[in-house]
Amino acid sequence: MAVDSSLPSPLGPPACEKDAKALQFIEQTTRNADAVQETVLAEILSRNAETEYLRRYKLGGATDRKSFKSNLPVITYENLQPEIQRIANGDRSPILSAHPISEFLTSSGTSAGERKLMPTIQEEWDRRQSLYNLLMPVMNLCVPGLDQGKGLYFLFVKSESKTPGGLLARPVLTSYYKSEHFKTRPYDPYNVYTSPNEAILCPDSFQSMYTQMLCGLLERHQVLRLGAVFASGLLRAIHFLQLNWQQLAADIRTGTLNPKITDPELRGCMERKLKPEPELAEFVAEQCGEENWQGIITRIWPSTKYLDVIVTGAMAQYIPTLDYYSGGLPMACTMYASSECYFGLNLNPMCRPSEVSYTIMPNMAYFEFLPYEPNSVSLDPTRLVDMVDVVVGKEYELVITTYAGLYRYRVGDILRVTGFHNSAPQFHFVRRKNVLLSIDSDKTDEAELQLAVDNATKLVLEKLNASVVEYTSFADTKTIPGHYVIYWELLVKDSAESPNSESLSQCCLAMEESLNSVYRQCRVADNSIGPLEIRVVKSGTFEELMDYAISRGASINQYKVPRCVNFTPIMELLDSRVVSKHFSPSLPHWTPERRR
Ligand code: AMP
């Protein structure tokens, strides 16, 4: 689409010519949302007309919405498993996409305990980059002067593996940071990072974090914004500073680099930046040595105007802690994206976290919306509506059709319409379906938690003639890193043999071993989740919990034990009945290779 940057932008006066173009692009694309969607669908269907998938559904080359909607089923990842497996095993025929699958992006959503594999094509990077290119122009409308300093962002690459057929499988951001789009990005004064590429690309998470923090400290007066992808990541960085400030200050004082930084390229890069700076070292030691870390972010980085982190969805649980460390700095949630597809951006990024709405960009994919009905058992595909037809106030599940070959694919996110920007809808992210517990990028559902309890029972408790009568769970984010807490009420048949502390610790580990690979990766490789905790409660506690729910109006016939709790009075009741606490004694098993 040709963009006329000379037109005034309704979003506000752009900071520079490049921004003017980006803002005009947003205007034109959202104004013509329906036409853009029609074109996107026609492009996807025509280029992929000869794929095995589209031929199966007998579209016969049709590219219109009506044929598409009447011929193609609405699917989930599980429906696509056979096709994905064939591609992973090396079948290079055009199964889903006419363009070759360049790699798999590994989602933090799991299927049968392993990350979902999302096929992607090379060209998708241009589309994702086009969304990234809109973020700073929008931010510049809200925060002037961002070209006068830098961003301290904690960005990391994660491990990658190869499928049996030789395709790379790695998280979308790992792929992005390793791509030329990122590594050789043109200089943009509004988007300069303190972290050098060598630090971001270092696969060792300690060395990467250490050097990114060191760069942030060295350039503390230049830092205008501070961020990570998710809130949990930024808190992990603060915790890292708590653990490592003495060594960091020593490096700054002497101008010599911690010998634990062994990556040769990274060492070379850091040694060029370091020189003895005793005053700065003293300042860091003085600030970090204080017991009270309230407002530490603005004390160390006094020019910070906002935090750039996602605090919507599951990440909202971190807002109070981030407020504490930042002295209430604004938190900007800039974009909404996934491994499957990048969806849209927040056009009002300095709004309060509870008011964040993401505007879906119609050029990214073809979007449909399934009205959300929690209790419906069957899916009626005629109920799906197009982007321009969603109704303000209603909740929908997002369904996408992408250039890379996902057709009418249910992402699993529930969104509420808050309004429109021109004719593009804006959504509040309500939640991801079926997620019970989440600390970092992990997502544990009810079935996975049940399986973990069953396995711990089988492996440990049964031998002791004990069982779990009832249980519930809680994501404890007061500790850094956060951890899962499982409340157990036990039935002990032989009190002489009741499970001792060691057996209950083994139960914690057995549960962790059963949880999905994203959970275990967070525990083992990222250190972003702490050891799982079991709190044994007195016998009769769950009956009291039921009495409490009924006293608040729950129906006695329909009452079910909630498998996850976070309502303060319930937490207080449970905690007041705890008889013992147990933690996982070691790390569960995890390797980058998939189990299947
Ligand atoms: P992944 O497939 O691992 O890339 O995770 C993508 C998922 O993360 C999305 O489908 C959402 O559930 C969640 N997510 C991404 N961006 C946001 C956001 N801005 N706010 C809330 N949740 C988000």
Side-chain angles (χ1 to χ4, degrees), residues 343-405:
F343 308 122
L345 76 169
N346 179 359
L347 294 179
N348 184 15
M350 296 304 272
C351 68
R352 291 218 305 266
S354 57
E355 285 160 10
V356 172
S357 284
Y358 298 102
T359 303
I360 302 280
M361 284 301 287
N363 61 313
M364 300 304 293
Y366 182 65
F367 298 101
E368 292 176 276
F369 297 86
L370 176 64
Y372 181 57
E373 288 168 355
N375 300 322
S376 88
V377 268
S378 64
L379 184 144
D380 174 4
T382 63
R383 292 176 47 73
L384 268 73
V385 295
D386 279 331
M387 186 171 199
V388 294
D389 296 324
V390 295
V391 176
V392 174
K394 277 203 167 181
E395 290 187 1
Y396 297 88
E397 185 183 337
L398 182 61
V399 176
I400 55 170
T401 296
T402 66
Y403 285 86

Side-chain angles (χ1 to χ4, degrees), residues 12 56 177 288 335 390 491 549:
R56 186 185 309 159
Y177 300 143
C288 297
M335 71 187 278
V390 295
L491 178 66

